[in-house]
Amino acid sequence: MAPGTGAEEDTLSGGVVDGVEGTGSDVPADAAAEGPTGDGSGEVMEGALAQSVPAQGMPEEQVSPVGPVPGKAAATPEKQGKKKKKVKPGEPQDESLGENPDAVDDTAEEDKQDVRVFGRVYARASADEREKYQRSLSIPSARVGVGASLSNIEAEVTADLADKSLLKDAFVRLADDSKRFRLYGGQFKSPFLQRSLESSWDLPVVSRGLVEDYLTEVHQLGGRRLGLMGEMRLKDAWGLKVSAGFFEGGKDDAGMRLKEDIAARVSLRPLKKLSLGVSTYVAEALDVVHKHALAADAQLHLGGLLFSGELVTGRLPLGPFTAQLLLANYTLPVGSGEWAVQPVAGFEALQLRGDVEGTGHSLVGGLNVLLGDRFKAMFQAERALRPGDEAAALEYSLQLATRF
């Protein structure tokens, strides 16, 4: 016990006992700062110690106390998520693989989603001269769907809650690594008649028209079928696309299922603004053929103007037939670009040339109002002589449509 002190000094603790620092140190303060050698080596030791002990925090957040290290790249800030490109009014929808596979395939990789949930609702009011202009309110479509995309496989299921046949699309699509060759299996649109293949959202008219309705709905040429289809797409060769497959046959008058059908389509884009296509459909291809059709189509983009035309010829149980479809619309942006107006005009004609002769025609015109790619209001008037009509009649339609 040293005289004048109240605690015993411990030489191993640096003069600190029980948390109390000694005051009788023999080493001057400036010497202690210089280190044991008295030449400032303490600062060097502290620097070496700082380099050998990593900084606290996540590995990507570590910062070297001596600045950038040669041979190591400097840390870069995390990339912010890329905003999805704003879609202009009138552009094709790119969410449903069953409705518009080309638009989905052409979507940039960074904009694609592994799982897509989508839907649409159409609400329509119409007045038809055939029914003495009695007002009719309906929901032509209330569709919901989900799609999934992996590296070499995709699948999609859609249902329309407003349709008697609830299930619309349910298929799987396999592809090679280059995405040039694909195989479809399930229920989907057969590759025939461009008017049928067009998404109803992308069409500037409220219905697909009397020709498509007569061939697809009445005589069961094309439309959605169970089937197996192969496809080849070569973007570098004018966007060449070839599709062909076997599909479930239609039903006869007694409701019996007929033998399988065959459908095929070839399309290409020789110019950026011009698309051309040829398609065919053969019913009961493995038996005696009673129904078949061949169609050629073209589509031309000139700024906001879109012009499309299609010629169809073939044979039905009633005899040979021919048909023509023309459609033109112009999309004019209004204001900031979110809104647009779209005047539309179209003409169709159908001729039966066999033992049973007959003609049909349709003239349609109207104005659509578009808000981005999510809403549109369509007002149209159609004067048509449809199969079964005694005289041409007028019909007015107003349709509000939205998609999500």
Side-chain angles (χ1 to χ4, degrees), residues 47 82 85 113 131 169 173 178 234 236 258 309 345 355 373:
K82 182 177 180 181
K85 181 184 70 172
Q113 300 177 351
E131 300 175 357
D169 292 317
R173 186 174 80 164
S178 65
L234 304 177
D236 297 334
L258 302 175
D355 296 335
D373 67 331

Side-chain angles (χ1 to χ4, degrees), residues 60-381:
E60 61 271 3
E61 297 176 351
Q62 294 183 6
V63 180
S64 173
V66 293
V69 178
K72 291 186 177 181
T76 56
E78 294 183 2
K79 294 182 179 180
Q80 296 182 354
K82 182 177 180 181
K83 294 183 179 180
K84 188 175 182 180
K85 181 184 70 172
K86 183 183 294 185
V87 180
K88 297 180 182 179
E91 288 192 357
Q93 65 88 21
D94 57 358
E95 293 176 348
S96 174
L97 190 62
E99 290 287 328
N100 198 335
D102 289 347
V104 177
D105 293 338
D106 292 338
T107 302
E109 290 296 331
E110 57 268 24
D111 293 333
K112 289 185 178 180
Q113 300 177 351
D114 293 339
V115 177
R116 307 180 305 275
V117 179
F118 50 88
R120 72 185 188 210
V121 177
Y122 300 165
R124 185 184 302 172
S126 61
D128 196 327
E129 183 181 1
R130 300 171 185 83
E131 300 175 357
K132 302 187 182 299
Y133 294 108
Q134 183 177 354
R135 291 183 298 274
S136 174
L137 304 177
S138 63
I139 303 294
S141 180
R143 188 165 300 186
V144 292
V146 59
S149 299
L150 301 176
S151 59
N152 296 90
I153 185 171
E154 295 168 289
E156 184 169 298
V157 177
T158 60
D160 199 324
L161 306 181
D163 201 315
K164 294 180 179 179
S165 56
L166 186 65
L167 184 65
K168 290 301 178 181
D169 292 317
F171 62 89
V172 175
R173 186 174 80 164
L174 304 176
D176 67 337
D177 293 337
S178 65
K179 309 297 183 183
R180 292 184 175 183
F181 302 95
R182 294 184 169 95
L183 181 66
Y184 291 74
Q187 179 168 299
F188 50 92
K189 287 183 178 180
S190 57
F192 171 69
L193 207 62
Q194 175 60 25
R195 183 64 68 90
S196 294
L197 296 174
E198 192 91 9
S199 168
S200 63
W201 177 270
D202 298 332
L203 279 173
V205 287
V206 297
S207 69
R208 299 187 186 275
L210 68 88
V211 173
E212 197 273 349
D213 181 73
Y214 186 70
L215 296 181
T216 303
E217 300 297 330
V218 178
H219 290 284
Q220 305 180 67
L221 291 174
R224 283 182 167 87
R225 300 290 182 92
L226 285 170
L228 182 68
M229 182 180 76
E231 180 181 276
M232 179 185 69
R233 191 182 188 198
L234 304 177
K235 293 184 178 181
D236 297 334
W238 288 354
L240 176 65
K241 182 177 178 181
V242 181
S243 306
F246 285 90
F247 295 88
E248 183 180 48
K251 294 182 178 180
D252 60 14
D253 296 337
M256 299 296 293
R257 181 67 64 183
L258 302 175
K259 292 187 177 181
E260 287 72 21
D261 303 345
I262 289 179
R265 175 175 170 81
V266 178
S267 63
L268 52 83
R269 182 172 292 179
L271 301 174
K272 185 177 181 180
K273 300 181 181 298
L274 177 65
S275 301
L276 303 174
V278 178
S279 60
T280 185
Y281 197 94
V282 181
E284 299 182 80
L286 303 180
D287 203 344
V288 179
V289 176
H290 297 286
K291 295 184 295 184
H292 61 83
L294 177 67
D297 59 87
Q299 195 172 73
L300 178 65
H301 287 262
L302 295 174
L305 177 65
L306 174 60
F307 178 83
S308 63
E310 192 162 12
L311 301 176
V312 192
T313 184
R315 186 176 186 86
L316 300 173
L318 299 176
F321 78 94
T322 54
Q324 305 82 34
L325 301 91
L326 299 174
L327 189 61
N329 64 270
Y330 187 82
T331 303
L332 179 64
V334 177
S336 63
E338 285 288 321
W339 291 91
V341 293
Q342 187 183 66
V344 58
F347 174 77
E348 295 181 57
L350 173 67
Q351 304 88 26
L352 298 178
R353 305 182 183 279
D355 296 335
V356 178
E357 294 185 352
T359 60
H361 57 79
S362 168
L363 181 63
V364 61
L367 182 67
N368 305 329
V369 179
L370 315 178
L371 175 58
D373 67 331
R374 297 295 172 180
F375 172 82
K376 60 182 178 179
M378 312 168 71
F379 175 75
Q380 293 174 13

